[in-house]
Amino acid sequence: MAIRNIRMMGDKVLEKTCRPVETVTPRIRQLVGDMLETMYDACGVGLAAPQVGILKRIVVIDTDGEHPHILINPEILETSGSQTGDEGCLSLPGKTGTVTRPNYVKVRAMDLDMQPFELEATELLARAVCHECDHLDGIMYTQHVEGPLRDVAYQEEEEEE
């Protein structure tokens, strides 16, 4: 696996609609592994393939650091409720904005064996699913921000000796 470069806001690839994955090839498996490694290295909770320059409908999400979700060709089936909170993006580091998203999302996707499954998500996971699925259609979270973007400073975690 390898850490890939994350494309930054303004890069035209982030404005394009991604193509569905027809079959999972060794290259797709490598991409998914690289996406997970890149997301963890950047301390993110989600990453979509266009953020690493690949126009495929692939999303990886891990909101708790222990249970990564790999969504190939995700399709949001149902949403309900709402939550409003700060949202950021690995493609726009150092910025945050207030975004309202559904508090519940049901999504259908394929796994790495191209087997269909459904995922029901609430709260942060629901927010991440919506955010990453937007990327697949060329939509950045900044298009949903209520009010101005704000600077955010991340504190480095101190390493234990």
Side-chain angles (χ1 to χ4, degrees):
M1 289 188 288
I3 295 171
R4 297 195 181 207
N5 290 328
I6 297 174
R7 302 295 182 96
M8 294 297 135
M9 187 170 166
D11 189 317
K12 294 294 184 194
V13 75
L14 296 174
E15 299 172 12
K16 296 182 188 267
T17 299
C18 295
R19 295 179 305 277
V21 173
E22 301 298 331
T23 59
V24 173
T25 63
R27 287 183 69 175
I28 293 290
R29 288 182 185 278
Q30 179 70 44
L31 171 62
V32 168
D34 290 353
M35 287 173 63
L36 285 165
E37 190 170 337
T38 301
M39 177 187 71
Y40 291 132
D41 182 70
C43 299
V45 298
L47 189 69
Q51 290 180 274
V52 293
I54 306 297
L55 291 172
K56 294 283 189 184
R57 298 188 79 77
I58 303 172
V59 164
V60 296
I61 299 171
D62 190 348
T63 57
D64 64 8
E66 296 179 14
H67 302 97
H69 299 280
I70 298 164
L71 307 175
I72 298 174
N73 301 332
E75 176 187 355
I76 294 175
L77 303 174
E78 183 180 331
T79 64
S80 66
S82 70
Q83 58 173 310
T84 301
D86 286 344
E87 199 165 307
C89 183
L90 295 177
S91 292
L92 187 59
K95 296 289 185 185
T96 188
T98 303
V99 177
T100 298
R101 299 272 192 191
N103 197 51
Y104 166 84
V105 173
K106 181 193 262 186
V107 62
R108 179 182 322 144
M110 304 284 195
D111 64 18
L112 278 172
D113 296 317
M114 293 301 283
Q115 295 301 307
F117 70 95
E118 290 183 359
L119 172 68
E120 293 183 89
T122 59
E123 300 175 357
L124 179 58
L125 183 54
R127 176 180 294 279
V129 167
C130 292
H131 177 112
E132 300 308 331
C133 285
D134 272 356
H135 273 300
L136 302 180
D137 293 318
I139 299 168
M140 293 279 294
Y141 86 102
T142 53
Q143 293 173 251
H144 300 296
V145 169
E146 303 158 15
L149 287 174
R150 299 178 304 283
D151 292 330
V152 62
Y154 299 103
Q155 292 185 337
E156 294 287 327
E157 290 184 28
E158 292 183 24
E159 290 187 23
E160 294 182 25
E161 295 182 23

